[in-house]
């Protein structure tokens, strides 16, 4: 694992959502022209290049998605060795004393793929992301029984690293209430769960859910102060 702190200096960034909204958008070439391209978890590019592009510079990964990457380690850590991986998760999984189950998996991965660039979030960074959630929503993440999404961590990292951000394929907080909205799968790379159903289930889950809709409200607020645009679908940030 990388021993030094991650330093990224990006100009114009593209954050590519895993949403089914990306299917059929044909913006792959446009995305690949960005100076830094951010993807999340195990979202593949192979077979989807026309819609999502094929370059990945930073991949932000949840501790729960690490086993999904390890199903295809040659692709993620050998072919994509130029990609920087930032893995986030709770201290119990990321601890370095031999008891961090996810940290141990990553350590083995680096032993096997020495050129893999893997960073893990510190406990301080995790607490900072929680504090930002509380500041922006007035809710304590732990008390409200929720988990931050990988999108949340990606946004916070990208706002530090990027001069401007173009977000592709992310819906806003009112999208699922709009008349005649486009129904899509939760992920562009797998059939199944409906995106809006999934968002509503998570938003109201008493524990263990992501507050996707609440997070989108916060992202809209950030877009008023930072250079952030949302397309496919387009948001108008008032």
């Amino acid at each position: 694992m990388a021993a030094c702190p991650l330093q990224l200096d990006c100009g114009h960034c593209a954050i590519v959502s895993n949403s089914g909204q990306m299917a059929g958008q044909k913006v792959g070439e446009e995305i690949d022209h960005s100076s830094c391209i951010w993807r999340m978890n195990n979202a593949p590019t192979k077979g989807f290049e026309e819609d999502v592009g094929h370059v990945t510079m930073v991949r932000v990964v949840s501790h729960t998605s690490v086993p999904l990457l390890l199903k295809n380690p040659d692709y993620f850590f050998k072919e994509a060795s130029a990609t920087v991986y930032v893995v986030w998760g709770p201290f119990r999984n990321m601890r370095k004393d031999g008891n961090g189950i996810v940290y141990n998996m990553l350590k083995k991965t680096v032993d096997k793929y020495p050129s893999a660039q893997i960073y893990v979030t510190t406990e301080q960074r995790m607490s900072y992301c929680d504090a930002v959630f509380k500041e922006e929503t007035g809710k304590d993440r732990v008390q409200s029984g929720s988990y931050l999404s990988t999108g949340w961590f990606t946004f916070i990292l990208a706002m530090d690293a990027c001069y401007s951000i173009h977000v592709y394929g992310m819906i806003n907080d009112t999208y699922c209430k709009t008349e005649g909205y486009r129904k899509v799968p939760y992920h562009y790379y797998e059939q199944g769960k409906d995106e809006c159903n999934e968002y509503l289930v998570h938003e109201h889950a008493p524990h263990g859910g992501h507050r996707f809709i609440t997070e989108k409200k916060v992202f809209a607020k950030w877009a008023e102060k930072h250079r952030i645009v949302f397309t496919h679908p387009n948001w108008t940030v008032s």
Side-chain angles (χ1 to χ4, degrees):
M1 239 82 64
C4 53
L6 173 62
Q7 286 182 309
L8 288 168
D9 188 13
C10 298
H12 177 64
C13 290
I15 294 178
V16 185
S17 162
N18 296 6
S19 163
Q21 298 288 343
M22 291 307 297
Q25 297 291 6
K26 296 185 170 43
V27 284
E29 205 175 318
E30 181 186 313
I31 288 168
D32 283 340
H33 279 110
S34 313
S35 43
C36 281
I37 299 149
W38 299 62
R39 301 185 195 273
M40 291 172 265
N41 294 328
N42 60 321
T45 53
K46 251 186 196 166
F48 302 94
E49 294 88 349
E50 190 180 18
D51 290 330
V52 303
H54 72 277
V55 180
T56 308
M57 294 182 187
V58 187
R59 191 179 279 276
V60 184
V61 181
S62 151
H63 59 113
T64 54
S65 291
V66 170
L68 298 174
L69 299 189
L70 295 178
K71 281 183 174 172
N72 197 354
D74 273 3
Y75 170 68
F76 284 109
F77 302 112
K78 195 173 170 183
E79 288 175 51
S81 64
T83 300
V84 170
Y85 290 84
V86 181
V87 184
W88 67 271
F91 175 69
R92 64 175 187 277
N93 290 343
M94 310 309 272
R95 54 196 295 169
K96 300 173 183 172
D97 61 0
N99 296 318
I101 183 167
V102 176
Y103 185 83
N104 293 349
M105 284 179 195
L106 295 170
K107 203 165 174 316
K108 274 189 186 153
T109 304
V110 176
D111 291 344
K112 192 175 172 191
Y113 302 96
S115 59
Q117 302 177 70
I118 302 175
Y119 291 81
V120 294
T121 49
T122 60
E123 228 184 323
Q124 289 83 346
R125 191 69 182 174
M126 293 296 291
S127 302
Y128 170 74
C129 290
D130 278 352
V132 173
F133 184 79
K134 189 167 185 177
E135 191 184 315
E136 295 289 4
T137 64
K139 288 181 183 147
D140 181 283
R141 179 194 69 76
V142 180
Q143 285 171 0
S144 72
S146 62
Y147 290 103
L148 297 171
S149 74
T150 300
W152 183 266
F153 289 97
T154 305
F155 251 85
I156 287 181
L157 279 165
M159 285 196 303
D160 277 349
C162 307
Y163 174 73
S164 64
I165 301 172
H166 188 151
V167 186
Y168 292 86
M170 189 180 276
I171 60 175
N172 68 11
D173 63 300
T174 57
Y175 182 86
C176 296
K177 292 181 185 158
T178 49
E179 193 80 25
Y181 71 84
R182 179 182 177 216
K183 279 192 166 219
V184 297
Y186 182 51
H187 290 148
Y188 67 79
Y189 45 91
E190 52 193 11
Q191 287 309 307
K193 301 170 182 167
D194 172 81
E195 178 170 63
C196 281
N197 286 352
E198 199 63 10
Y199 271 33
L200 291 166
V201 166
H202 272 273
E203 192 68 21
H204 303 296
H207 48 82
H210 292 305
R211 303 295 185 241
F212 290 121
I213 296 168
T214 301
E215 288 187 7
K216 305 293 185 273
K217 274 186 193 155
V218 176
F219 297 162
K221 196 169 140 190
W222 290 346
E224 291 168 18
K225 300 189 200 88
H226 299 265
R227 295 180 178 84
I228 302 171
V229 294
F230 300 88
T231 67
H232 307 86
N234 293 318
W235 294 21
T236 11
V237 178
S238 55

